[in-house]
Amino acid sequence: MSGSCAAPGPGSGSSPAACRFAHYFVLCGIDADSGLEPDELAGENFDQSPLRRTFKSKVLAHYPQNIEWNPFDQDAVNMLCMPKGLSFRTQTDNKDPQFHSFIITREDGSRTYGFVLTFYEEVTSKQICTAMQTLYQMHNAEHYSSVYASSSCSMDSLASSLDEGDTTSLLKLQRYNSYDISRDTLYVSKSICLITPLPFMQACKKFLIQLYKAVTSQQPPPLPLESYIHNILYEVPLPPPGRSLKFYGVYEPVICQRPGPSELPLSDYPLREAFELLGLENLVQVFTCVLLEMQILLYSQDYQRLMTVAEGITTLLFPFQWQHVYVPILPASLLHFLDAPVPYLMGLQSKEGTDRSKLELPQEASFLSDQPEPYLPFLSRFIETQMFATFIDNKIMSQWEEKDPLLRVFDTRIDKIRLYNVRAPTLRTSIYQKCSTLKEAAQSIEQRLMKMDHTAIHPHLLDMKIGQGKYEQGFFPKLQSDVLATGPTSNNRWVSRSATAQRRKERLRQHSEHVGLDNDLREKYMQEARSLGKNLRQPKLSDLSPAVIAQTNCKFVEGLLKECRMKTKRMLVEKMGHEAVELGHGEANITGLEENTLIASLCDLLERIWSHGLQVKQGKSALWSHLIQFQDREEKQEHLAESPVALGPERRKSDSGVMLPTLRVSLIQDMRHIQNMSEIKTDVGRARAWIRLSLEKKLLSQHLKQLLSNQPLTKKLYKRYAFLRCEEEREQFLYHLLSLNAVDYFCFTSVFTTIMIPYRSVIIPIKKLSNAIITSNPWICVSGELGDTGVMQIPKNLLEMTFECQNLGKLTTVQIGHDNSGLLAKWLVDCVMVRNEITGHTYRFPCGRWLGKGIDDGSLERILIGELMTSASDEDLVKQCRTPPQQKSPTTARRLSITSLTGKNNKPNAGQIQEGIGEAVNNIVKHFHKPEKERGSLTVLLCGENGLVAALEQVFHHGFKSARIFHKNVFIWDFIEKVVAYFETTDQILDNEDDVLIQKSSCKTFCHYVNAINTAPRNIGKDGKFQILVCLGTRDRLLPQWIPLLAECPAITRMYEESALLRDRMTVNSLIRILQTIQDFTIVLEGSLIKGVDV
């Protein structure tokens, strides 16, 4: 609520409505014409005595009739003024007046505050008194019959039930719990209410109490009550920001103040009372639940206590704001709101004598229902909340738009703290630091209240009809509506100044809007304006035409679209990282946000979009309910097979003619995957899982477009003004979601880690060079970040197989091998393809090597490093993006035997080899400098293409004298074994004893590792053994010690040319220094790389 003024609306007088202190004065109570109507929605209990039952109340009068920009909502005001309906009392009951306040939150998020004083007034209608006595007679008759029926099992018991004691007790009960029209005086509750744009709780309470005293006083008030009500409605202005105001009640003046732009927002509810009501420990617990956006239900017999605690807690949230359902006082007729599938903060009145343990509360629908770890640290959960996401959004948007008021105050305070701490501006300490702004804020308020900045004009006599509004003690008079329906026509200074300027602004605004409309739309607006002008009361939202509905919801729809745009942009910026910052897409300080935070925020946004404008709420998730109904219609029409969506790239058919079959999926199929997940128990969790799956498959925008393409279903489920029925905004919304396809998400795979997932694998041999049929027994083991499948036997001569296992996460390696049995045991494998049948992610594991004894390096088992395949559209995006693609597994050329590397075309020069080593080590260093959740696969950096193993292989290949000795292939591992043999048979003598000890220790360790690899119960080839040696040396920080041993061994002169890198002392020293840079990091190797090797 800003201090800006809006133009006066029809029936609101000449003063600008937005600049008034109060918008409406409301009177609620019993309608003598309609009589007693039980309030069935309030949970009527006919077992209670009639005086304890609830009856329907009505708005008896409200002034003015309507304000254009803040329409009067009669149903909402009536329910909140008298949340439990009418209450009746007799002269023996307590009839003290009760004060409470309430909030009405409109769809655009703006709030209106209501302040209510409820008192009891004598019932003068004989019809109502007679009806109450009749209800009592019926109640007592039913009560007596039930008492006697319960004790009439026999004649003896019947006689005993009528003894003197029971008769006496029943008579006492009858006298205590009855109403006699001839003996008792009947009173009924009535409420007077002020509705204001800002929470001036204390001022409104004082004004209403003075009105009540004027009604109950023996002497009539100095002026008719209409004068005071007219004054506060039309002649008391809203105090400007940073100023105070004095206006006059019936007996004494009332003062209030409004904080300035640089101060905290107005909060007139005492925080001390909130702490006293809950206690410090309970309040901290509730506050924590609010920060984590849970479902919070406050419970109290006193309505004002509910408001005090709710407003106190939300005030403490500064600089954050509660973004979800906020109903501090929940009327009894709206108890179904407790089933809302979203976080809420609500207050519910507890009745006297009610057992709180028997209160039926909804099942918990936590927005973290799809998280695998239920006990996450507080901060990791808080940054996933909508209030945190909105705060960050506002912070980002403040670069281009006007700052949010709360953010402006927060930034000002942060700047002051930095100014005071010039010497250590970034110093943080766990020691409590006293708030330096508290004293300043208190002094500002005291100064404003001591010296009034503005004084409103006094209440005065109005031009009223004589004889009406006659004073009668104890009865609130019937007010003259003609004098209260419109504002003053006098030329007081406040009205004339503000109204003239405002009318000028409003004419300019209306003219610019009118010029921008086409003729048809302009005519519609004019017709709506004429029709509204004829009615004094604002019609219900459901009765309005599409044009007016669109106007009413314009801000809300625009807000959802803006939020979608900002969320998708933040998700892209976070995923692209610093490269996106270099391109000017954001700040570096927001790239550290966790991916899960943004995705959870997106799920919340989609749920709110699908909840907007629903005809009837069905289930706890509006999105999932829509999906279920879409699924039912599609299955009934048997369209499932007619609208498949092909996922994944077009596969190039291999030399063998074997390839993965095309995965055909659809929106319905993805729903079935989610429905088959027994781990998810709620509709909210299923909707979120479906969003994550669609986002990971890059089908979210496409799926939602398909869902919304069923227009008859959308029209059936949503009202005309709903976001999903606004075509232009809906198209923009889908376009923003489409932009998320530019990056890869694993938000489904990384969250649902315990589900069973079907996989399909295909082994693609090179049949031109290999046998078409093998006689050995092949096997395969697939490993991922979350585990492995274990060894799985492959049926003979079947290259494709499906298997189901617990989620492996991102796939990293495949171990493939056979037992070398039979005559045709040699197998040349091109690659292995593995696909996740739910997410559609396909991994290619290049091999290009033989498996078999007596060929290649004699390996019967190979470890293959995976690369995630990209679709054609993804490849286009990669070309446009500067982000380097994921490190691929070793290529066929690099993995072939040394004989193929002797050709001139395949020999890299010394500079290229040294550059490759530097790049491989640098990638590992950068890996560990990233936040843990942003790191990629370390296995790829070690064993993939351009990885450390590949770079060291190039070093060892350089300068090899001969690749074939006596027609036999020679590998690096042959050189390693010769070095081990030399160390084991020779005892070297050095001048320095320390050097002797160090070198002997290094030699012993080296020999131990090599022997452990050779004796491992695995049929790994020589290149595979070298890979294991490098990985173990890297893990255990031994590579810098081993390199000089190899370079100084005499075997190097026999197997390497003089120009080889390993024989150049400067190159070796440089290599050692480079390898030492990764010794500070703790390297954890994947189990598949070193399985069976005991060191």
Side-chain angles (χ1 to χ4, degrees):
M1 297 286 183
S2 64
S4 60
C5 301
S12 61
S14 58
S15 57
C19 288
R20 296 178 189 163
F21 178 87
H23 289 165
Y24 293 100
F25 177 82
V26 186
L27 187 66
C28 295
I30 189 170
D31 186 359
D33 295 333
S34 59
L36 293 180
E37 295 182 64
D39 192 353
E40 298 175 358
L41 293 176
E44 182 65 27
N45 186 359
F46 289 99
D47 292 335
Q48 292 182 327
S49 64
L51 283 179
R52 298 293 176 261
R53 297 177 191 173
T54 55
F55 298 88
K56 286 184 180 179
S57 62
K58 291 190 177 180
V59 174
L60 303 178
H62 68 278
Y63 309 101
Q65 287 299 313
N66 194 60
I67 294 175
E68 184 178 11
W69 73 277
N70 183 17
F72 184 77
D73 191 337
Q74 182 162 306
D75 293 336
V77 172
N78 181 43
M79 282 192 296
L80 292 169
C81 281
M82 308 189 87
K84 58 182 179 181
L86 295 172
S87 297
F88 286 89
R89 297 285 188 273
T90 64
Q91 73 279 1
T92 59
D93 297 319
N94 179 25
K95 300 183 292 298
D96 293 338
Q98 297 292 325
F99 173 82
H100 78 272
S101 51
F102 62 82
I103 286 178
I104 296 178
T105 304
R106 293 191 288 269
E107 285 195 343
D108 62 356
S110 60
R111 291 178 177 179
T112 298
Y113 297 84
F115 304 95
V116 185
L117 187 71
T118 302
F119 56 94
Y120 288 89
E121 195 174 80
E122 184 180 343
V123 178
T124 57
S125 171
K126 290 185 178 180
Q127 180 184 359
I128 294 176
C129 293
T130 304
M132 180 60 69
Q133 184 167 18
T134 302
L135 287 175
Y136 256 106
Q137 291 171 350
M138 295 171 59
H139 172 73
N140 289 335
E142 293 175 1
H143 181 71
Y144 295 150
S145 62
S146 63
V147 169
Y148 287 123
S150 64
S151 59
S152 60
C153 298
S154 64
M155 293 300 293
D156 294 338
S157 63
L158 176 61
S160 64
S161 67
L162 294 176
D163 63 11
E164 184 178 355
D166 286 343
T167 304
T168 303
S169 63
L170 288 174
L171 290 174
K172 288 181 180 179
L173 177 64
Q174 182 180 7
R175 284 196 298 270
Y176 173 78
N177 195 25
S178 66
Y179 166 71
D180 188 342
I181 192 172
S182 61
R183 183 188 68 233
D184 298 321
T185 304
L186 188 64
Y187 295 87
V188 66
S189 57
K190 180 175 282 189
S191 294
I192 51 177
C193 170
L194 279 176
I195 295 179
T196 65
L198 291 177
F200 295 109
M201 190 266 291
Q202 300 291 348
C204 290
K205 183 178 181 180
K206 290 179 181 178
F207 179 82
L208 292 175
I209 289 176
Q210 291 188 46
L211 275 185
Y212 171 70
K213 287 182 178 178
V215 171
T216 56
S217 174
Q218 294 182 355
Q219 298 295 327
L223 294 172
L225 294 186
E226 286 87 345
S227 296
Y228 303 102
I229 296 171
H230 183 276
N231 178 254
I232 199 170
L233 284 179
Y234 301 109
E235 297 172 335
V236 177
L238 196 66
R243 300 301 178 93
S244 56
L245 169 72
K246 180 170 73 172
F247 62 94
Y248 296 90
V250 180
Y251 299 111
E252 57 186 25
V254 179
I255 59 175
C256 62
Q257 62 86 30
R258 185 177 176 188
S262 61
E263 299 177 62
L264 291 174
L266 176 64
S267 177
D268 217 9
Y269 294 86
L271 276 176
R272 177 187 292 273
E273 185 176 344
F275 278 88
E276 290 173 349
L277 289 171
L278 288 181
L280 180 59
E281 184 176 346
N282 288 334
L283 189 134
V284 169
Q285 288 182 353
V286 174
F287 186 62
T288 303
C289 293
V290 173
L291 285 173
L292 297 181
E293 294 185 344
M294 297 181 178
Q295 292 180 328
I296 299 102
L297 180 63
L298 304 174
Y299 202 56
S300 173
Q301 292 185 17
D302 191 296
Y303 291 123
Q304 186 58 17
R305 289 183 176 182
L306 293 174
M307 276 293 298
T308 300
V309 172
E311 283 292 287
I313 290 174
T314 53
T315 299
L316 291 173
L317 288 177
F318 175 84
F320 306 103
Q321 300 178 66
W322 181 256
Q323 300 292 322
H324 301 281
V325 177
Y326 182 62
V327 187
I329 297 177
L330 184 66
S333 58
L334 300 180
L335 286 179
H336 59 278
F337 273 32
L338 295 177
D339 291 327
V342 294
Y344 57 66
L345 177 55
M346 298 189 194
L348 185 64
Q349 193 210 29
S350 59
K351 297 181 180 179
E352 297 178 7
T354 303
D355 184 1
R356 189 169 65 175
S357 64
K358 296 181 180 179
L359 179 66
E360 293 185 5
L361 296 178
Q363 292 182 351
E364 183 180 2
S366 171
F367 259 31
L368 297 174
S369 58
D370 55 3
Q371 300 302 313
E373 302 175 13
Y375 302 107
L376 297 174
F378 170 78
L379 284 179
S380 67
R381 290 186 63 182
F382 175 64
I383 62 175
E384 295 183 8
T385 59
Q386 181 61 32
M387 70 175 73
F388 182 82
T390 302
F391 178 77
I392 297 298
D393 284 341
N394 291 337
K395 185 72 175 175
I396 296 172
M397 290 302 296
S398 65
Q399 301 178 23
W400 303 284
E401 299 179 357
E402 185 179 355
K403 274 189 179 181
D404 177 78
L406 284 182
L407 183 61
R408 187 189 306 117
V409 176
F410 177 73
D411 286 347
T412 303
R413 293 197 165 194
I414 293 299
D415 292 340
K416 282 185 179 180
I417 293 175
R418 288 173 177 167
L419 185 64
Y420 294 152
N421 298 333
V422 177
R423 295 182 180 178
T426 59
L427 181 63
R428 294 185 179 183
T429 175
S430 58
I431 302 175
Y432 172 74
Q433 294 180 334
K434 191 173 182 180
C435 178
S436 59
T437 56
L438 183 61
K439 188 176 181 179
E440 298 174 8
Q443 289 177 348
S444 300
I445 294 174
E446 288 177 4
Q447 290 175 1
R448 283 197 292 268
L449 294 178
M450 289 177 62
K451 182 180 180 181
M452 290 295 106
D453 297 308
H454 300 279
T455 302
I457 63 175
H458 283 259
H460 51 85
L461 281 172
L462 302 174
D463 186 13
M464 298 172 59
K465 297 179 182 178
I466 299 176
Q468 292 189 10
K470 185 179 179 181
Y471 172 76
E472 186 176 357
Q473 183 182 357
F475 294 92
F476 199 90
K478 184 177 181 180
L479 302 174
Q480 293 190 25
S481 58
D482 53 342
V483 298
L484 294 178
T486 57
T489 55
S490 61
N491 57 346
N492 71 74
R493 290 174 295 172
W494 167 68
V495 171
S496 59
R497 278 202 309 266
S498 58
T500 303
Q502 198 56 39
R503 280 196 296 271
R504 188 182 303 115
K505 291 181 181 178
E506 184 64 16
R507 280 198 300 270
L508 290 173
R509 183 185 66 80
Q510 291 178 349
H511 176 71
S512 62
E513 288 183 354
H514 193 72
V515 169
L517 298 176
D518 58 35
N519 292 331
D520 294 338
L521 195 58
R522 188 181 309 163
E523 183 62 27
K524 285 185 179 180
Y525 278 119
M526 291 176 67
Q527 289 177 2
E528 291 297 335
R530 283 195 292 268
S531 64
L532 284 176
K534 295 176 183 178
N535 301 323
L536 290 176
R537 291 179 57 186
Q538 178 78 10
K540 292 184 179 179
L541 195 62
S542 58
D543 299 332
L544 297 180
S545 70
V548 176
I549 288 173
Q551 273 188 310
T552 306
N553 289 272
C554 182
K555 287 186 179 180
F556 188 79
V557 171
E558 286 180 355
L560 286 175
L561 187 61
K562 173 184 173 183
E563 190 174 346
C564 177
R565 181 175 68 250
M566 293 309 304
K567 284 195 187 320
T568 51
K569 179 178 178 181
R570 285 179 58 226
M571 291 175 72
L572 290 173
V573 169
E574 191 273 340
K575 199 68 178 176
M576 292 179 178
H578 287 277
E579 178 188 329
V581 176
E582 293 172 5
L583 296 175
H585 292 302
E587 297 180 346
N589 60 357
I590 68 171
T591 61
L593 290 174
E594 297 181 20
E595 176 181 305
N596 197 44
T597 303
L598 302 176
I599 293 171
S601 179
L602 176 67
C603 293
D604 167 54
L605 172 64
L606 293 181
E607 197 64 65
R608 285 189 285 124
I609 287 176
W610 255 258
S611 298
H612 180 241
L614 272 173
Q615 296 278 9
V616 180
K617 182 70 176 178
Q618 297 179 354
K620 293 194 173 185
S621 169
L623 174 57
W624 188 251
S625 176
H626 193 172
L627 286 167
I628 289 294
Q629 296 193 49
F630 178 82
Q631 182 184 26
D632 292 342
R633 289 198 173 200
E634 291 293 301
E635 289 177 347
K636 286 179 182 178
Q637 297 172 5
E638 298 181 352
H639 284 171
L640 181 61
E642 297 178 13
S643 57
V645 180
L647 179 69
E650 290 296 327
R651 305 292 182 205
R652 175 186 59 84
K653 201 168 184 179
S654 67
D655 296 333
S656 65
V658 181
M659 62 180 293
L660 275 173
T662 304
L663 180 63
R664 306 185 68 83
V665 297
S666 67
L667 185 156
I668 304 297
Q669 186 61 39
D670 286 344
M671 285 187 64
R672 288 174 179 159
H673 288 314
I674 303 302
Q675 289 166 331
N676 292 333
M677 293 169 59
S678 59
E679 293 83 357
I680 305 177
K681 306 299 183 183
T682 66
D683 286 348
V684 175
R686 293 185 187 97
R688 293 197 146 214
W690 181 85
I691 293 170
R692 288 176 179 272
L693 177 59
S694 301
L695 186 61
E696 185 165 326
K697 298 174 75 168
K698 302 188 178 181
L699 289 173
L700 181 58
S701 178
Q702 184 174 332
H703 277 350
L704 293 179
K705 185 175 183 179
Q706 183 182 354
L707 176 65
L708 297 173
S709 65
N710 191 328
Q711 294 185 3
L713 177 60
T714 307
K715 289 181 180 179
K716 174 188 173 184
L717 297 177
Y718 291 92
K719 298 176 183 177
R720 290 172 294 179
Y721 63 87
F723 180 93
L724 297 178
R725 291 186 63 181
C726 300
E727 293 186 10
E728 184 177 345
E729 286 79 6
R730 185 179 64 205
E731 290 302 317
Q732 292 184 52
F733 159 70
L734 294 174
Y735 174 77
H736 291 313
L737 292 182
L738 184 63
S739 66
L740 296 177
N741 292 1
V743 291
D744 295 322
Y745 287 100
F746 291 87
C747 49
F748 179 86
T749 303
S750 60
V751 167
F752 300 100
T753 56
T754 60
I755 64 172
M756 299 299 291
I757 290 182
Y759 293 89
R760 183 186 297 270
S761 67
V762 173
I763 300 169
I764 303 176
I766 304 178
K767 288 192 175 181
K768 291 181 180 178
L769 303 175
S770 176
N771 300 315
I773 299 175
I774 60 171
T775 57
S776 59
N777 299 302
W779 57 267
I780 190 174
C781 177
V782 183
S783 300
E785 294 180 347
L786 302 178
D788 63 65
T789 61
V791 173
M792 300 182 294
Q793 294 296 327
I794 304 173
K796 284 186 180 181
N797 302 318
L798 284 182
L799 301 177
E800 180 180 339
M801 66 178 292
T802 58
F803 58 91
E804 188 176 60
C805 65
Q806 187 169 307
N807 186 4
L808 299 175
K810 297 179 185 177
L811 302 187
T812 52
T813 62
V814 159
Q815 300 170 66
I816 185 173
H818 60 81
D819 61 0
N820 202 45
S821 61
L823 297 175
L824 303 175
K826 297 175 182 177
W827 200 13
L828 180 58
V829 177
D830 179 26
C831 67
V832 177
M833 309 284 286
V834 182
R835 182 173 67 201
N836 182 320
E837 295 292 277
I838 291 182
T839 65
H841 286 315
T842 304
Y843 295 82
R844 184 174 184 270
F845 298 85
C847 180
R849 301 292 295 271
W850 286 92
L851 288 106
K853 290 293 185 182
I855 192 169
D856 205 336
D857 63 348
S859 178
L860 295 179
E861 172 187 341
R862 295 200 183 279
I863 302 173
L864 311 179
I865 311 301
E867 59 176 321
L868 178 63
M869 303 295 290
T870 56
S871 62
S873 57
D874 293 340
E875 290 173 357
D876 294 338
L877 288 170
V878 169
K879 291 177 183 178
Q880 299 171 11
C881 179
R882 291 169 53 195
T883 306
Q886 183 181 357
Q887 294 277 1
K888 296 190 294 185
S889 59
T891 59
T892 302
R894 203 271 288 176
R895 280 302 192 188
L896 289 177
S897 61
I898 196 66
T899 55
S900 63
L901 294 174
T902 55
K904 296 181 180 180
N905 295 335
N906 293 325
K907 277 189 175 181
N909 58 43
Q912 292 172 332
I913 294 174
Q914 290 176 304
E915 184 180 345
I917 282 284
E919 183 181 350
V921 172
N922 190 37
N923 286 335
I924 295 175
V925 172
K926 287 192 293 185
H927 169 86
F928 284 101
H929 279 288
K930 291 180 181 178
E932 188 172 351
K933 288 194 175 183
E934 295 181 12
R935 296 174 184 174
S937 171
L938 184 60
T939 302
V940 171
L941 298 180
L942 290 173
C943 306
E945 185 179 25
N946 302 324
L948 182 62
V949 174
L952 285 175
E953 280 187 355
Q954 296 288 2
V955 173
F956 280 86
H957 284 156
H958 188 266
F960 232 58
K961 279 187 175 180
S962 174
R964 295 176 69 88
I965 300 177
F966 302 110
H967 303 285
K968 182 180 179 182
N969 288 344
V970 179
F971 295 87
I972 298 174
W973 194 252
D974 295 318
F975 168 65
I976 298 293
E977 289 180 330
K978 289 184 181 297
V979 173
V980 170
Y982 171 75
F983 288 151
E984 290 179 342
T985 58
T986 306
D987 187 11
Q988 300 184 35
I989 300 175
L990 298 177
D991 297 335
N992 191 316
E993 292 184 0
D994 292 338
D995 289 342
V996 173
L997 293 175
I998 294 173
Q999 188 159 8
K1000 279 188 175 182
S1001 174
S1002 299
C1003 291
K1004 185 177 180 181
T1005 304
F1006 181 74
C1007 295
H1008 172 64
Y1009 274 68
V1010 173
N1011 291 330
I1013 294 172
N1014 275 329
T1015 58
R1018 298 178 67 176
N1019 296 311
I1020 301 174
K1022 294 180 178 179
D1023 282 350
K1025 292 177 180 179
F1026 178 77
Q1027 175 176 286
I1028 294 175
L1029 182 66
V1030 172
C1031 290
L1032 289 173
T1034 306
R1035 183 194 68 180
D1036 299 336
R1037 304 178 175 89
L1038 296 172
L1039 283 183
Q1041 300 176 26
W1042 290 349
I1043 294 297
L1045 296 179
L1046 298 173
E1048 295 170 5
C1049 178
I1052 199 170
T1053 59
R1054 299 195 301 271
M1055 301 189 70
Y1056 281 88
E1057 298 175 359
E1058 190 174 350
S1059 60
L1061 290 176
L1062 284 178
R1063 296 187 65 177
D1064 181 67
R1065 183 175 292 275
M1066 290 184 61
T1067 303
V1068 170
N1069 290 336
S1070 175
L1071 177 60
I1072 293 171
R1073 287 195 300 270
I1074 292 174
L1075 293 176
Q1076 285 174 340
T1077 59
I1078 58 177
Q1079 287 190 299
D1080 297 332
F1081 307 113
T1082 302
I1083 292 178
V1084 179
L1085 298 177
E1086 190 173 327
S1088 61
L1089 295 177
I1090 56 173
K1091 185 164 60 176
V1093 180
D1094 184 15
V1095 292

